[in-house]
Amino acid sequence: VQLQASGGGLVQPGGSLRLSCAASGSMFRLNVMGWYRQAPGKQRELVATLSSPGATNYADSVKGRFTISRDNAKNTVYLQMNSLKPEDTAVYYCHLFSGRAYWGQETQVTVSS
């Protein structure tokens, strides 16, 4: 399985970004896709996950601002990030659990004026 992420960049505080991650290869129909992030000097943390049946999980710090969604037919997960804050600045990683964990490449998100 390979994960191809896109959509990071530089945005001002209060702005929005949308991350996308497409999975290719063989995977179980029942799986979980999502996003983690790692800020400088900090541990990697969960941002949001969404299972193929539709169960979501969000970090408290992003609830109400970020929305995760997926297109199962395209094996693609999206993260809509609104009202971005400087503390959202991090490297974001797409994640898939399908029998084992898979990670996408780094996607930098920088929130700065």
Side-chain angles (χ1 to χ4, degrees):
V1 176
Q2 291 188 327
L3 301 176
Q4 182 65 45
S6 61
L10 172 64
V11 65
Q12 292 186 342
S16 298
L17 281 175
R18 188 191 195 209
L19 303 182
S20 300
C21 177
S24 59
S26 179
M27 68 192 74
F28 295 113
R29 181 176 294 182
L30 180 61
N31 58 70
V32 181
M33 296 186 76
W35 298 89
Y36 288 70
R37 68 185 181 187
Q38 186 167 17
K42 294 187 177 182
Q43 291 188 333
R44 191 174 298 188
E45 63 177 2
L46 179 146
V47 177
T49 61
L50 175 55
S51 70
S52 48
T56 58
N57 184 32
Y58 290 95
D60 288 343
S61 60
V62 307
K63 285 180 180 177
R65 300 188 298 121
F66 291 11
T67 302
I68 191 168
S69 61
R70 62 188 287 170
D71 184 334
N72 287 334
K74 297 180 179 179
N75 290 325
T76 300
V77 65
Y78 307 96
L79 185 68
Q80 179 66 42
M81 304 184 292
N82 298 329
S83 302
L84 282 161
K85 304 176 181 180
E87 50 264 44
D88 295 315
T89 295
V91 174
Y92 284 67
Y93 298 89
C94 177
H95 178 265
L96 164 69
F97 186 85
S98 177
R100 51 151 284 190
Y102 300 88
W103 294 95
Q105 81 278 17
E106 299 180 353
T107 302
Q108 179 68 46
V109 172
T110 303
V111 184
S112 175
S113 55

